[in-house]
Amino acid sequence: MLNFLYYPVSAVMWFWHQAFALVLGPSSGFAWALSVVFLVLTLRAVMIKPFLSQVRSGRRMRVIAPQLADIRKRHAGDKQKMMEETQKLQREHGVSTLGGCLPLLIQMPVFLALLHVLRYFNRPGLTFEQNAAIGNYVFGPDEVRSFLEARLFGAPLSSWVSMPQSLLDSFGAHVDRWEVLVVAVPLMLLAAVATHITARGSQRQQLAARTTVPEPGTQAAQMAGFMKLTPWIFPLGVLLGGLFFTFPIAILLYWLTNNCWTMVQQHLVHKAMDREDARLAEQRATVAADTAPRPGARPAAPGRTPGAKPVPARRGGAVQVPAGAASRRPGGTSGKAAAGRRRPGSRKGGRH
């Protein structure tokens, strides 16, 4: 049913096993363990770009958080309008809600596919010889036999803590449960610690992006309370899963490698983006300082439109007229000629 996932995952694991088998041998437990580790590293390397998009989208969401709060306040009674305005604002700032879920949407199918492939190396109800004669997706019968015979510090990679003894005895040789515990428990503890650290890092980023404190009793407040518990709930899930569920040692290796990658990646990427944001803020501040008017400087004179008459300068609130211009009249008449003219109705000679 999900062969489109099982075959690619088993193919990547097969490739890395072939590479390490050239050095360590095909039945080496370390070669098979490294094939699982490098399967995770390959997946996470492919997901670097989606992860960067997720981080940038989260930082842009932090910038527009006040505007989103204003939209929720203005359209509290109109859910459809609120959704339209929210989506419009997110598009304008390049915020993608799907981008934040994309890494998880990619990792979960790979995790389930790897769990399925690992369990199918040792099918329940079959003997060692019967399992070794059946291929497992990309792996042929010889590679299945090699995997079943491989041991990591004495424990088969597809064994788990609560595995029935009948299955433990089907790995080609007798395996004691304590041998599985010696390998599985340290891996569980390391994976739980790495999970706790990565969850704490994600929580710090979410708290930094929060601009308002949710009101007590609201759904947002309940969600915030749950998020505070995630650094403890997720590691507990790793421990319980490793102890009581059918999670093989190889899956514990997957968890440990995946969380270690996430822990290092979070530190490096957020540190680099903090430097990038600080550099951009410094550049904006420099540009604003250069364009701001200096104290005591005169404002720039307005530009003169081509063909327009010059505007006379004002001094003391009065228009300063150029010398000789006040005595001129339309038509070129001088001031003396104008003064020599008599007013209409006046008689020459003064008296009648």
Side-chain angles (χ1 to χ4, degrees):
M1 180 178 177
L2 297 177
N3 288 344
F4 69 95
L5 289 175
Y6 302 148
Y7 277 99
V9 168
S10 59
V12 175
M13 185 176 170
W14 175 89
F15 169 80
W16 286 115
H17 173 256
Q18 294 297 315
F20 289 110
L22 295 175
V23 180
L24 301 173
S27 296
S28 169
F30 288 101
W32 283 105
L34 288 173
S35 69
V36 175
V37 170
F38 276 78
L39 167 67
V40 179
L41 299 181
T42 303
L43 170 66
R44 296 306 301 268
V46 172
M47 289 171 51
I48 287 178
K49 188 174 181 180
F51 178 78
L52 293 176
S53 299
Q54 177 188 16
V55 174
R56 288 195 174 95
S57 181
R59 287 175 174 257
R60 290 167 186 163
M61 183 71 79
R62 186 189 309 178
V63 173
I64 66 173
Q67 301 176 53
L68 291 174
D70 182 62
I71 289 174
R72 288 193 293 268
K73 184 178 179 180
R74 285 189 288 108
H75 303 289
D78 190 348
K79 299 296 184 182
Q80 183 176 359
K81 184 66 175 178
M82 182 193 302
M83 184 65 67
E84 292 175 355
E85 293 294 327
T86 300
Q87 292 176 352
K88 180 182 177 181
L89 183 64
Q90 290 175 346
R91 284 195 302 268
E92 291 174 353
H93 290 80
V95 175
S96 174
T97 53
L98 180 61
C101 303
L102 187 58
L104 180 61
L105 293 176
I106 296 175
Q107 287 186 73
M108 187 57 68
V110 173
F111 170 79
L112 296 176
L114 178 61
L115 179 61
H116 177 83
V117 170
L118 290 173
R119 294 187 64 184
Y120 260 57
F121 277 108
N122 190 11
R123 297 170 179 85
L126 301 180
T127 64
F128 170 81
E129 292 299 333
Q130 289 173 331
N131 275 313
I134 304 173
N136 185 17
Y137 297 102
V138 172
F139 297 102
D142 291 339
E143 282 127 0
V144 173
R145 177 181 290 273
S146 170
F147 182 86
L148 293 174
E149 292 175 348
R151 300 289 185 270
L152 183 65
F153 299 109
L157 282 169
S158 60
S159 62
W160 58 88
V161 172
S162 59
M163 176 177 271
Q165 188 62 44
S166 59
L167 280 180
L168 289 175
D169 292 336
S170 66
F171 282 102
H174 178 73
V175 178
D176 291 321
R177 192 172 305 281
W178 68 265
E179 293 177 301
V180 180
L181 287 169
V182 165
V183 180
V185 171
L187 286 176
M188 282 187 288
L189 293 175
L190 290 173
V193 171
T195 303
H196 174 76
I197 294 174
T198 54
R200 288 285 295 271
S202 298
Q203 187 181 71
R204 282 194 298 269
Q205 293 299 321
Q206 291 170 358
L207 291 175
R210 185 185 300 172
T211 57
T212 58
V213 178
E215 297 180 2
T218 62
Q219 186 176 2
Q222 295 174 359
M223 183 61 67
F226 174 77
M227 293 304 297
K228 290 181 180 179
L229 298 176
T230 54
W232 306 100
I233 294 176
F234 291 164
L236 183 62
V238 174
L239 294 174
L240 293 178
L243 288 173
F244 302 107
F245 292 91
T246 58
F247 289 153
I249 289 175
I251 286 295
L252 298 177
L253 274 174
Y254 176 96
W255 277 345
L256 177 60
T257 307
N258 190 58
N259 282 287
C260 287
W261 176 287
T262 302
M263 181 172 55
V264 175
Q265 183 175 250
Q266 278 182 346
H267 175 74
L268 295 178
V269 169
H270 287 293
K271 191 173 181 180
M273 289 195 173
D274 286 340
R275 289 196 301 266
E276 180 181 343
D277 291 344
R279 187 165 54 251
L280 291 175
E282 184 179 353
Q283 291 175 358
R284 286 193 294 266
T286 303
V287 171
D290 291 341
T291 56
R294 297 180 180 178
R298 291 185 178 181
R304 180 180 173 184
T305 306
K309 294 181 179 181
V311 179
R314 296 178 180 269
R315 183 178 297 172
V319 177
Q320 186 71 21
V321 182
S327 61
R328 296 191 185 98
R329 296 292 185 270
T333 308
S334 64
K336 291 182 180 180
R341 290 180 182 176
R342 297 181 180 274
R343 294 181 179 178
S346 63
R347 293 185 180 182
K348 195 174 182 179
R351 290 186 179 181
H352 294 281

